[in-house]
Amino acid sequence: MARYLLVSGDFVETGGMDRANHALAAYLADRGDEVHLAAYRASADLLAKPGVTLHRARKVMGSYLLSSPLLDRVGRRVAAQVAPGGGRVVVNGGNCDWPDVNWVHYVHAAWPPQAGGGLARRIRKAVENRRETALERARVGRARLVIANSERTRRDLVERVGVQPD
């Protein structure tokens, strides 16, 4: 039985990267691995699987921007427990400062914010994008292994984040 820590905001089946992260966690649990999740939330069906443990990060005022430092802190704390025994740590993009496996679904540097609405919302989205872009640049390239979810994502990582093509 292998040990894994997966760090992501959500492990639910609503779509996008949340669905992909949920599928990975379910796959690992179904094959009998010990699966730790550092997240804001995870679906009940995933948490009911044997060997799955949620290490919840508090979501401040429903905001990913305000809560991301807490997710990073929880992820690093649990990674320090899982990794020494040979466990693998899989993070997404810039969400956790741990240099094992980084599975990238989305490259913030490739997609400027498309926020409609009022001035406050546009400013918040711009700040969030700048922060996520800086975290990607600082963290993704340090990973032992970078996995891109598509050829487009791989190309964006190489061209916009500076990740080595190999």
Side-chain angles (χ1 to χ4, degrees):
M1 170 171 58
R3 294 178 76 200
Y4 290 91
L5 166 62
L6 309 178
V7 182
S8 184
D10 300 307
F11 290 87
V12 295
E13 293 187 280
T14 55
M17 64 185 164
D18 299 337
R19 186 179 194 89
N21 289 321
H22 180 281
L24 176 59
Y27 168 78
L28 295 171
D30 288 344
R31 71 179 204 178
D33 293 327
E34 181 181 329
V35 181
H36 294 267
L37 308 174
Y40 307 120
R41 65 184 175 137
S43 65
D45 68 299
L46 190 55
L47 296 177
K49 292 181 180 291
V52 174
T53 303
L54 175 63
H55 304 270
R56 189 178 307 273
R58 193 167 64 93
K59 194 162 180 192
V60 179
M61 297 178 5
S63 168
Y64 288 101
L65 177 63
L66 296 175
S67 305
S68 63
L70 300 176
L71 179 61
D72 175 48
R73 186 176 311 134
V74 169
R76 285 184 289 114
R77 178 179 47 80
V78 178
Q81 298 165 2
V82 170
R88 304 316 307 246
V89 177
V90 180
V91 303
N92 292 154
N95 75 358
C96 182
D97 194 7
W98 197 266
D100 191 11
V101 178
N102 200 311
W103 182 19
V104 181
H105 304 278
Y106 179 91
V107 179
H108 291 82
W111 302 97
Q114 301 293 319
L119 179 61
R121 177 174 162 69
R122 291 193 311 270
I123 290 171
R124 180 179 58 83
K125 286 297 191 181
V127 167
E128 188 174 61
N129 185 266
R130 273 194 298 269
R131 180 181 188 283
E132 294 301 325
T133 297
L135 289 174
E136 285 170 350
R137 288 193 174 119
R139 295 176 176 174
V140 175
R142 289 196 311 244
R144 181 189 61 76
L145 174 67
V146 177
I147 301 170
N149 71 336
S150 68
E151 179 58 33
R152 167 67 194 264
T153 300
R154 187 194 75 75
R155 189 171 57 249
D156 288 341
L157 285 166
V158 170
E159 293 173 3
R160 298 181 181 264
V161 179
V163 173
Q164 293 300 311
D166 60 333

